[in-house]
Amino acid sequence: MTTLKLEAHTVAKIYNRKSIFQNVSLAVKEGMSFAITGKNGSGKSTLIKILCGVLSPSKGTIALSINGVLINYPDYYPYIGLVSPYLNMYEEFSAEENLIFIKRIRGLNSDTDERIKFLLNDFGIYEHRRKEVRNYSSGMKQRLKYCAALVHQPPILVLDEPTSNLDEYGIETVRKAMKLQKNHGALIFGTNDKDDLRFADQIFSLDKLEIGN
Amino acid sequence: MYLVISSYQILLKEIVSEFRTRYALNALIMFVVVTISMVLFSIGTESPSQDILSGTLWIVIFFSAMSGLSRTFVAEEERGTSLTLRLLTSASSVYFGKLFYNLVLILALSMFIAGSYLFIIKEFIVKSYDIFWLTIFLGSVGLASASTILAAIIAKANTKGTLFPVLAFPILLPLLLTAINATRLATEGAFFVEALQEFQILISFIIVMITASIMLFDYVWKD
Protein backbone atom coordinates (compact mmCIF):
# COMPACT_ATOMS: atom_id res chain seq x y z
CA MET A 1 0.00 0.00 0.00
CA THR A 2 1.12 3.57 -0.69
CA THR A 3 2.04 5.69 2.31
CA LEU A 4 0.24 8.95 1.86
CA LYS A 5 -0.76 11.96 3.86
CA LEU A 6 -2.81 14.93 2.72
CA GLU A 7 -2.84 17.86 5.12
CA ALA A 8 -4.48 21.27 5.18
CA HIS A 9 -3.09 23.90 7.55
CA THR A 10 -5.21 26.92 8.50
CA VAL A 11 -6.71 27.11 5.01
CA ALA A 12 -9.08 29.96 4.15
CA LYS A 13 -10.91 30.90 0.97
CA ILE A 14 -12.09 34.40 0.18
CA TYR A 15 -14.26 35.17 -2.90
CA ASN A 16 -14.97 38.78 -3.81
CA ARG A 17 -13.88 39.93 -0.33
CA LYS A 18 -16.35 37.48 1.24
CA SER A 19 -14.95 34.73 3.40
CA ILE A 20 -16.23 31.24 2.46
CA PHE A 21 -14.40 29.52 5.32
CA GLN A 22 -11.41 30.18 7.52
CA ASN A 23 -8.89 28.31 9.59
CA VAL A 24 -9.53 24.84 8.17
CA SER A 25 -6.96 22.28 9.31
CA LEU A 26 -7.26 18.58 8.63
CA ALA A 27 -5.19 15.50 7.85
CA VAL A 28 -6.07 12.45 5.77
CA LYS A 29 -3.91 9.32 5.80
CA GLU A 30 -3.95 6.10 3.80
CA GLY A 31 -6.68 3.63 4.65
CA MET A 32 -8.85 6.48 5.87
CA SER A 33 -12.30 7.51 4.79
CA PHE A 34 -12.74 11.21 5.52
CA ALA A 35 -16.06 13.03 5.19
CA ILE A 36 -16.63 16.77 4.93
CA THR A 37 -20.05 18.03 5.95
CA GLY A 38 -21.62 21.45 6.25
CA LYS A 39 -24.78 23.25 5.32
CA ASN A 40 -25.36 24.60 1.79
CA GLY A 41 -22.88 27.35 0.94
CA SER A 42 -20.50 26.38 3.72
CA GLY A 43 -17.79 25.69 1.14
CA LYS A 44 -17.65 21.88 0.92
CA SER A 45 -17.08 21.89 -2.84
CA THR A 46 -14.60 24.78 -2.58
CA LEU A 47 -12.58 22.93 0.08
CA ILE A 48 -12.65 19.78 -2.05
CA LYS A 49 -11.33 21.69 -5.08
CA ILE A 50 -8.57 23.22 -2.93
CA LEU A 51 -7.57 19.78 -1.60
CA CYS A 52 -7.42 18.49 -5.20
CA GLY A 53 -5.17 21.36 -6.29
CA VAL A 54 -7.58 22.80 -8.84
CA LEU A 55 -8.32 25.94 -6.80
CA SER A 56 -5.79 27.92 -4.79
CA PRO A 57 -6.44 28.71 -1.14
CA SER A 58 -6.50 32.41 -0.18
CA LYS A 59 -4.58 31.61 3.00
CA GLY A 60 -2.93 28.53 4.49
CA THR A 61 -1.14 25.58 2.94
CA ILE A 62 -1.91 22.16 1.51
CA ALA A 63 0.68 19.39 1.69
CA LEU A 64 0.55 15.97 0.03
CA SER A 65 3.24 13.40 0.64
CA ILE A 66 3.36 10.04 -1.10
CA ASN A 67 5.84 7.44 0.14
CA GLY A 68 7.63 10.21 2.01
CA VAL A 69 7.98 12.45 -1.04
CA LEU A 70 6.33 15.86 -0.80
CA ILE A 71 4.33 16.58 -3.96
CA ASN A 72 4.54 20.08 -5.38
CA TYR A 73 1.19 21.90 -4.86
CA PRO A 74 -0.96 22.18 -6.98
CA ASP A 75 0.38 19.40 -9.25
CA TYR A 76 -1.71 16.69 -7.56
CA TYR A 77 -3.49 15.53 -10.73
CA PRO A 78 -1.61 12.18 -11.08
CA TYR A 79 -2.61 11.16 -7.54
CA ILE A 80 -6.21 12.31 -7.35
CA GLY A 81 -9.47 11.14 -8.87
CA LEU A 82 -12.36 13.56 -8.43
CA VAL A 83 -16.09 13.14 -8.97
CA SER A 84 -17.98 16.40 -8.63
CA PRO A 85 -21.17 18.02 -9.93
CA TYR A 86 -18.93 20.81 -11.28
CA LEU A 87 -16.99 18.41 -13.46
CA ASN A 88 -18.26 17.54 -16.93
CA MET A 89 -17.10 15.10 -19.57
CA TYR A 90 -16.75 16.03 -23.25
CA GLU A 91 -20.29 15.64 -24.56
CA GLU A 92 -19.35 15.42 -28.24
CA PHE A 93 -17.29 12.30 -27.48
CA SER A 94 -18.53 8.85 -26.49
CA ALA A 95 -17.84 7.43 -23.03
CA GLU A 96 -15.12 5.22 -24.51
CA GLU A 97 -13.48 8.16 -26.33
CA ASN A 98 -13.54 10.23 -23.14
CA LEU A 99 -11.81 7.48 -21.19
CA ILE A 100 -9.25 6.83 -23.94
CA PHE A 101 -8.50 10.57 -24.02
CA ILE A 102 -7.94 10.45 -20.24
CA LYS A 103 -5.72 7.38 -20.61
CA ARG A 104 -3.58 9.07 -23.27
CA ILE A 105 -3.33 12.50 -21.65
CA ARG A 106 -2.30 10.88 -18.38
CA GLY A 107 0.31 8.83 -20.23
CA LEU A 108 -1.09 5.49 -18.99
CA ASN A 109 0.02 2.21 -20.59
CA SER A 110 -2.02 -0.20 -22.73
CA ASP A 111 -3.08 -2.28 -19.67
CA THR A 112 -5.47 0.58 -18.98
CA ASP A 113 -7.69 -0.58 -21.90
CA GLU A 114 -8.70 -3.60 -19.83
CA ARG A 115 -9.34 -1.39 -16.82
CA ILE A 116 -11.53 0.94 -18.93
CA LYS A 117 -13.56 -2.07 -20.06
CA PHE A 118 -13.84 -3.29 -16.47
CA LEU A 119 -14.95 0.12 -15.16
CA LEU A 120 -17.53 0.62 -17.93
CA ASN A 121 -18.93 -2.82 -17.11
CA ASP A 122 -18.80 -2.27 -13.37
CA PHE A 123 -20.69 1.01 -13.59
CA GLY A 124 -23.22 -0.44 -16.03
CA ILE A 125 -22.53 1.73 -19.07
CA TYR A 126 -20.52 -0.71 -21.20
CA GLU A 127 -23.40 -1.19 -23.64
CA HIS A 128 -23.64 2.56 -24.09
CA ARG A 129 -19.89 3.12 -24.42
CA ARG A 130 -20.08 4.23 -28.06
CA LYS A 131 -22.96 6.69 -27.58
CA GLU A 132 -22.10 10.38 -27.43
CA VAL A 133 -22.20 11.60 -23.82
CA ARG A 134 -24.70 14.33 -24.82
CA ASN A 135 -27.27 11.51 -25.19
CA TYR A 136 -26.68 10.18 -21.67
CA SER A 137 -29.04 10.68 -18.75
CA SER A 138 -27.69 12.56 -15.72
CA GLY A 139 -27.25 9.26 -13.87
CA MET A 140 -25.22 7.76 -16.73
CA LYS A 141 -23.06 10.87 -16.85
CA GLN A 142 -22.44 10.51 -13.11
CA ARG A 143 -21.37 6.88 -13.64
CA LEU A 144 -19.01 7.94 -16.40
CA LYS A 145 -17.44 10.49 -14.05
CA TYR A 146 -16.66 7.61 -11.69
CA CYS A 147 -15.02 5.65 -14.50
CA ALA A 148 -12.97 8.75 -15.40
CA ALA A 149 -11.89 9.30 -11.80
CA LEU A 150 -10.83 5.67 -11.34
CA VAL A 151 -9.02 5.02 -14.66
CA HIS A 152 -5.57 5.78 -13.23
CA GLN A 153 -6.24 3.99 -9.92
CA PRO A 154 -5.63 7.13 -7.86
CA PRO A 155 -4.27 6.81 -4.32
CA ILE A 156 -6.77 9.50 -3.27
CA LEU A 157 -10.39 9.40 -4.43
CA VAL A 158 -12.33 12.60 -3.79
CA LEU A 159 -16.11 12.60 -4.12
CA ASP A 160 -18.37 15.63 -3.95
CA GLU A 161 -21.95 14.46 -3.25
CA PRO A 162 -21.03 10.82 -4.11
CA THR A 163 -24.51 9.37 -4.62
CA SER A 164 -26.34 12.31 -6.20
CA ASN A 165 -28.18 11.54 -9.48
CA LEU A 166 -27.70 7.78 -9.08
CA ASP A 167 -30.27 4.98 -9.00
CA GLU A 168 -30.10 2.03 -6.61
CA TYR A 169 -27.62 0.06 -8.76
CA GLY A 170 -25.43 3.14 -9.19
CA ILE A 171 -25.43 3.85 -5.44
CA GLU A 172 -24.51 0.24 -4.71
CA THR A 173 -21.61 0.36 -7.20
CA VAL A 174 -20.35 3.65 -5.81
CA ARG A 175 -20.44 2.36 -2.24
CA LYS A 176 -18.49 -0.72 -3.35
CA ALA A 177 -15.92 1.58 -4.96
CA MET A 178 -15.77 3.66 -1.77
CA LYS A 179 -15.04 0.56 0.32
CA LEU A 180 -12.38 -0.60 -2.16
CA GLN A 181 -10.71 2.81 -2.16
CA LYS A 182 -10.09 2.62 1.58
CA ASN A 183 -7.95 -0.48 0.99
CA HIS A 184 -6.21 1.07 -2.00
CA GLY A 185 -5.45 4.54 -0.59
CA ALA A 186 -7.63 7.22 0.93
CA LEU A 187 -11.16 8.43 0.39
CA ILE A 188 -12.41 11.98 0.91
CA PHE A 189 -16.02 12.89 0.32
CA GLY A 190 -18.28 15.85 0.86
CA THR A 191 -21.89 15.09 1.74
CA ASN A 192 -24.74 15.63 4.16
CA ASP A 193 -26.33 12.26 3.34
CA LYS A 194 -26.53 10.18 6.51
CA ASP A 195 -26.22 6.87 4.61
CA ASP A 196 -23.01 8.06 2.95
CA LEU A 197 -21.62 9.33 6.24
CA ARG A 198 -21.69 5.78 7.63
CA PHE A 199 -18.64 5.11 5.42
CA ALA A 200 -16.58 7.79 7.15
CA ASP A 201 -13.88 7.10 9.73
CA GLN A 202 -13.70 10.80 10.48
CA ILE A 203 -16.20 13.57 9.80
CA PHE A 204 -15.10 17.16 9.46
CA SER A 205 -17.83 19.75 9.94
CA LEU A 206 -17.22 23.00 8.07
CA ASP A 207 -19.88 24.69 10.19
CA LYS A 208 -18.17 23.87 13.48
CA LEU A 209 -14.61 23.51 12.09
CA GLU A 210 -14.10 20.34 14.12
CA ILE A 211 -13.48 16.65 13.46
CA GLY A 212 -15.78 13.95 14.84
CA ASN A 213 -16.19 10.21 14.34
CA MET B 1 8.28 13.95 -23.07
CA TYR B 2 5.09 13.92 -20.97
CA LEU B 3 4.54 17.59 -21.87
CA VAL B 4 4.76 16.77 -25.60
CA ILE B 5 2.39 13.77 -25.34
CA SER B 6 -0.26 15.55 -23.28
CA SER B 7 -0.07 18.76 -25.38
CA TYR B 8 -0.47 16.64 -28.52
CA GLN B 9 -3.51 14.88 -27.00
CA ILE B 10 -5.12 18.24 -26.24
CA LEU B 11 -4.43 19.46 -29.78
CA LEU B 12 -5.96 16.26 -31.18
CA LYS B 13 -8.99 16.54 -28.88
CA GLU B 14 -9.54 20.17 -29.96
CA ILE B 15 -9.39 19.30 -33.66
CA VAL B 16 -11.80 16.33 -33.37
CA SER B 17 -14.10 18.35 -31.10
CA GLU B 18 -14.14 21.27 -33.55
CA PHE B 19 -15.04 19.03 -36.49
CA ARG B 20 -17.87 17.46 -34.47
CA THR B 21 -19.35 20.59 -32.91
CA ARG B 22 -18.38 23.22 -35.52
CA TYR B 23 -18.13 25.58 -32.57
CA ALA B 24 -15.88 28.08 -34.38
CA LEU B 25 -15.37 26.74 -37.90
CA ASN B 26 -18.73 27.60 -39.50
CA ALA B 27 -18.85 31.06 -37.95
CA LEU B 28 -15.30 31.75 -39.08
CA ILE B 29 -15.87 30.72 -42.68
CA MET B 30 -19.05 32.82 -42.87
CA PHE B 31 -17.23 35.76 -41.30
CA VAL B 32 -14.44 35.56 -43.89
CA VAL B 33 -16.87 35.28 -46.82
CA VAL B 34 -18.95 38.24 -45.58
CA THR B 35 -16.01 40.55 -44.84
CA ILE B 36 -14.18 39.86 -48.14
CA SER B 37 -17.45 40.41 -50.04
CA MET B 38 -17.95 43.71 -48.21
CA VAL B 39 -14.42 44.84 -49.11
CA LEU B 40 -15.09 43.86 -52.73
CA PHE B 41 -18.41 45.77 -52.87
CA SER B 42 -17.01 48.86 -51.13
CA ILE B 43 -14.11 49.05 -53.61
CA GLY B 44 -16.57 49.00 -56.54
CA THR B 45 -14.92 50.59 -59.54
CA GLU B 46 -12.36 52.51 -57.45
CA SER B 47 -8.65 51.64 -57.46
CA PRO B 48 -7.51 51.93 -53.84
CA SER B 49 -3.80 52.08 -53.04
CA GLN B 50 -1.86 48.95 -52.06
CA ASP B 51 -1.42 50.53 -48.58
CA ILE B 52 -5.20 50.51 -48.04
CA LEU B 53 -5.64 47.00 -49.47
CA SER B 54 -2.82 45.67 -47.25
CA GLY B 55 -4.58 47.25 -44.27
CA THR B 56 -8.00 45.76 -45.12
CA LEU B 57 -6.44 42.30 -45.53
CA TRP B 58 -5.16 42.45 -41.95
CA ILE B 59 -8.46 43.88 -40.71
CA VAL B 60 -10.18 40.78 -42.10
CA ILE B 61 -7.55 38.48 -40.56
CA PHE B 62 -7.66 40.30 -37.18
CA PHE B 63 -11.45 40.22 -36.76
CA SER B 64 -11.73 36.64 -38.02
CA ALA B 65 -9.10 35.62 -35.47
CA MET B 66 -10.93 37.52 -32.75
CA SER B 67 -14.19 35.71 -33.49
CA GLY B 68 -12.60 32.26 -33.46
CA LEU B 69 -9.51 32.07 -31.29
CA SER B 70 -11.17 32.81 -27.97
CA ARG B 71 -13.49 29.80 -28.35
CA THR B 72 -10.85 27.29 -27.28
CA PHE B 73 -10.97 28.39 -23.61
CA VAL B 74 -14.47 29.90 -23.58
CA ALA B 75 -15.93 26.57 -24.76
CA GLU B 76 -14.18 24.71 -21.90
CA GLU B 77 -15.65 27.16 -19.36
CA GLU B 78 -19.15 27.13 -20.89
CA ARG B 79 -19.29 23.34 -21.08
CA GLY B 80 -17.83 22.96 -17.59
CA THR B 81 -14.91 20.87 -18.83
CA SER B 82 -12.12 23.18 -17.66
CA LEU B 83 -12.19 21.51 -14.23
CA THR B 84 -11.87 18.12 -15.94
CA LEU B 85 -8.83 19.34 -17.86
CA ARG B 86 -7.26 20.79 -14.70
CA LEU B 87 -7.54 17.36 -13.09
CA LEU B 88 -5.95 15.55 -16.01
CA THR B 89 -2.74 17.35 -16.79
CA SER B 90 -0.39 20.21 -16.02
CA ALA B 91 -1.11 23.84 -16.86
CA SER B 92 1.84 23.91 -19.31
CA SER B 93 0.38 20.99 -21.29
CA VAL B 94 -2.96 22.77 -21.54
CA TYR B 95 -1.26 26.00 -22.65
CA PHE B 96 0.81 24.34 -25.38
CA GLY B 97 -2.07 22.15 -26.54
CA LYS B 98 -4.34 25.18 -26.91
CA LEU B 99 -1.56 27.29 -28.45
CA PHE B 100 -0.88 24.67 -31.14
CA TYR B 101 -4.60 24.32 -31.84
CA ASN B 102 -4.99 28.10 -32.21
CA LEU B 103 -1.91 28.05 -34.43
CA VAL B 104 -3.40 25.38 -36.71
CA LEU B 105 -6.73 27.22 -36.82
CA ILE B 106 -5.31 30.70 -37.54
CA LEU B 107 -2.77 29.40 -40.08
CA ALA B 108 -5.50 27.61 -42.03
CA LEU B 109 -7.74 30.66 -41.72
CA SER B 110 -5.06 33.16 -42.78
CA MET B 111 -4.05 31.04 -45.77
CA PHE B 112 -7.71 30.82 -46.79
CA ILE B 113 -8.23 34.58 -46.32
CA ALA B 114 -5.02 35.53 -48.15
CA GLY B 115 -5.77 33.14 -51.02
CA SER B 116 -9.37 34.35 -51.35
CA TYR B 117 -8.27 37.99 -51.08
CA LEU B 118 -5.68 37.55 -53.84
CA PHE B 119 -8.21 35.76 -56.02
CA ILE B 120 -11.22 38.06 -55.46
CA ILE B 121 -9.67 41.54 -55.04
CA LYS B 122 -8.06 42.01 -58.46
CA GLU B 123 -6.58 45.39 -57.45
CA PHE B 124 -4.45 43.68 -54.77
CA ILE B 125 -1.28 42.67 -56.56
CA VAL B 126 1.58 40.96 -54.74
CA LYS B 127 4.99 41.21 -56.37
CA SER B 128 7.15 39.52 -53.71
CA TYR B 129 5.42 36.30 -52.73
CA ASP B 130 8.22 35.21 -50.36
CA ILE B 131 7.70 38.33 -48.22
CA PHE B 132 3.92 38.05 -48.48
CA TRP B 133 3.59 34.43 -47.33
CA LEU B 134 6.24 34.77 -44.62
CA THR B 135 4.34 37.82 -43.30
CA ILE B 136 1.09 35.85 -43.31
CA PHE B 137 2.83 32.99 -41.45
CA LEU B 138 4.59 35.13 -38.82
CA GLY B 139 1.56 37.40 -38.38
CA SER B 140 -0.64 34.34 -37.78
CA VAL B 141 1.78 32.87 -35.26
CA GLY B 142 1.85 36.24 -33.48
CA LEU B 143 -1.95 36.39 -33.43
CA ALA B 144 -2.16 32.85 -32.01
CA SER B 145 0.50 33.50 -29.34
CA ALA B 146 -1.24 36.64 -28.03
CA SER B 147 -4.79 35.30 -28.42
CA THR B 148 -4.17 32.09 -26.46
CA ILE B 149 -3.27 33.78 -23.17
CA LEU B 150 -5.92 36.48 -23.68
CA ALA B 151 -8.55 33.81 -24.33
CA ALA B 152 -7.57 32.06 -21.08
CA ILE B 153 -7.98 35.37 -19.20
CA ILE B 154 -11.32 36.39 -20.72
CA ALA B 155 -12.81 32.88 -20.35
CA LYS B 156 -13.14 33.68 -16.62
CA ALA B 157 -14.96 36.98 -17.28
CA ASN B 158 -18.72 37.48 -17.56
CA THR B 159 -18.60 39.51 -20.79
CA LYS B 160 -16.50 37.07 -22.81
CA GLY B 161 -17.54 37.98 -26.35
CA THR B 162 -16.98 41.73 -26.26
CA LEU B 163 -13.93 41.73 -24.02
CA PHE B 164 -11.67 39.74 -26.31
CA PRO B 165 -11.17 42.18 -29.22
CA VAL B 166 -11.04 45.13 -26.78
CA LEU B 167 -8.24 43.52 -24.75
CA ALA B 168 -6.47 42.12 -27.79
CA PHE B 169 -6.34 45.31 -29.87
CA PRO B 170 -3.70 47.29 -27.88
CA ILE B 171 -1.57 44.16 -27.45
CA LEU B 172 -1.79 43.23 -31.12
CA LEU B 173 -1.34 46.77 -32.47
CA PRO B 174 2.48 46.52 -32.92
CA LEU B 175 2.03 43.15 -34.63
CA LEU B 176 -0.68 44.44 -36.96
CA LEU B 177 1.20 47.62 -37.93
CA THR B 178 4.34 45.60 -38.70
CA ALA B 179 2.38 42.97 -40.67
CA ILE B 180 0.60 45.66 -42.69
CA ASN B 181 3.94 47.31 -43.46
CA ALA B 182 5.50 44.01 -44.54
CA THR B 183 2.47 43.25 -46.74
CA ARG B 184 2.82 46.68 -48.35
CA LEU B 185 6.51 45.88 -49.06
CA ALA B 186 5.37 42.63 -50.71
CA THR B 187 3.00 44.57 -52.99
CA GLU B 188 5.76 47.03 -53.89
CA GLY B 189 8.05 44.20 -55.01
CA ALA B 190 10.69 44.85 -52.32
CA PHE B 191 13.68 42.54 -51.93
CA PHE B 192 13.62 40.05 -49.06
CA VAL B 193 16.37 41.91 -47.15
CA GLU B 194 14.27 45.09 -47.16
CA ALA B 195 11.59 43.32 -45.11
CA LEU B 196 14.06 41.79 -42.62
CA GLN B 197 13.42 44.51 -40.01
CA GLU B 198 9.68 43.74 -40.10
CA PHE B 199 10.35 40.02 -39.72
CA GLN B 200 12.66 40.68 -36.76
CA ILE B 201 9.89 42.65 -35.04
CA LEU B 202 7.33 39.91 -35.73
CA ILE B 203 9.66 37.17 -34.41
CA SER B 204 10.50 39.25 -31.31
CA PHE B 205 6.78 39.79 -30.67
CA ILE B 206 6.14 36.03 -30.86
CA ILE B 207 9.04 35.21 -28.49
CA VAL B 208 7.96 37.85 -25.95
CA MET B 209 4.29 36.79 -26.05
CA ILE B 210 5.02 33.06 -25.65
CA THR B 211 7.55 33.64 -22.85
CA ALA B 212 5.19 35.95 -20.95
CA SER B 213 2.31 33.50 -21.49
CA ILE B 214 4.26 30.53 -20.10
CA MET B 215 5.06 32.59 -16.98
CA LEU B 216 1.48 33.85 -16.57
CA PHE B 217 -0.58 30.83 -17.55
CA ASP B 218 -0.26 28.92 -14.25
CA TYR B 219 -1.91 31.80 -12.38
CA VAL B 220 -4.64 32.29 -14.98
CA TRP B 221 -5.47 28.60 -15.26
CA LYS B 222 -5.58 27.77 -11.54
CA ASP B 223 -7.85 30.73 -10.62
Side-chain angles (χ1 to χ4, degrees), chain B:
Chain B
M1 192 61 193
Y2 170 74
L3 180 71
V4 177
I5 293 169
S6 51
S7 303
Y8 173 70
Q9 286 306 320
I10 290 173
L11 166 69
L12 218 60
K13 187 265 296 174
E14 291 292 329
I15 293 171
V16 175
S17 177
E18 183 53 49
F19 275 99
R20 287 191 187 173
T21 59
R22 305 288 166 107
Y23 219 76
L25 212 59
N26 287 350
L28 278 177
I29 292 169
M30 282 312 294
F31 192 93
V32 172
V33 171
V34 169
T35 45
I36 293 180
S37 306
M38 282 175 75
V39 172
L40 181 69
F41 294 139
S42 60
I43 289 172
T45 52
E46 301 289 322
S47 296
S49 69
Q50 296 301 319
D51 284 16
I52 291 171
L53 288 172
S54 303
T56 45
L57 170 67
W58 281 97
I59 288 171
V60 176
I61 294 176
F62 171 75
F63 281 105
S64 307
M66 291 305 100
S67 62
L69 295 189
S70 65
R71 303 308 303 168
T72 173
F73 281 105
V74 172
E76 298 279 3
E77 288 294 331
E78 284 177 354
R79 293 181 296 184
T81 48
S82 59
L83 179 60
T84 313
L85 213 48
R86 270 181 225 149
L87 279 163
L88 293 178
T89 189
S90 66
S92 322
S93 306
V94 175
Y95 172 71
F96 283 110
K98 300 280 187 184
L99 173 69
F100 290 133
Y101 170 70
N102 272 348
L103 210 58
V104 170
L105 188 68
I106 189 70
L107 276 174
L109 188 73
S110 301
M111 299 289 175
F112 176 64
I113 294 171
S116 314
Y117 201 82
L118 278 169
F119 182 72
I120 296 168
I121 316 284
K122 300 290 180 205
E123 291 79 4
F124 184 65
I125 298 156
V126 172
K127 291 174 183 160
S128 306
Y129 277 97
D130 49 352
I131 296 175
F132 179 72
W133 288 114
L134 190 57
T135 305
I136 295 289
F137 176 77
L138 291 175
S140 304
V141 178
L143 276 172
S145 62
S147 303
T148 306
I149 188 73
L150 285 173
I153 294 168
I154 65 117
K156 312 267 181 201
N158 293 327
T159 48
K160 298 173 177 67
T162 47
L163 204 59
F164 191 52
V166 175
L167 268 180
F169 183 67
I171 293 167
L172 290 172
L173 197 59
L175 174 101
L176 290 171
L177 291 176
T178 313
I180 291 168
N181 209 27
T183 310
R184 185 184 52 80
L185 287 173
T187 60
E188 287 171 357
F191 289 110
F192 192 81
V193 284
E194 292 176 71
L196 272 182
Q197 202 182 342
E198 268 67 28
F199 294 144
Q200 281 168 355
I201 296 170
L202 291 175
I203 292 166
S204 307
F205 180 91
I206 294 162
I207 293 170
V208 168
M209 279 318 299
I210 292 178
T211 311
S213 301
I214 292 168
M215 292 163 77
L216 269 175
F217 190 75
D218 253 12
Y219 301 99
V220 177
W221 184 237
K222 298 277 179 189
D223 277 6

Side-chain angles (χ1 to χ4, degrees), chain A residues 22 25 28 38 48-49 53 55 61 74 80 86 110 114-116 124 126 167 179 195 201 204:
Chain A
Q22 284 196 5
S25 295
V28 183
I48 279 174
K49 284 183 195 169
L55 190 67
T61 54
I80 282 183
Y86 300 100
S110 54
E114 278 303 307
R115 181 156 176 80
I116 288 173
Y126 186 76
D167 57 16
K179 274 183 201 161
D195 287 333
D201 300 323
F204 177 80

Side-chain angles (χ1 to χ4, degrees), chain A residues 40 46 62 73 87 89 111 150 152 184 194 205:
Chain A
N40 292 346
T46 305
I62 306 290
Y73 187 82
L87 185 147
M89 305 313 292
D111 297 347
L150 291 165
H152 59 301
H184 177 68
K194 284 185 180 131
S205 165

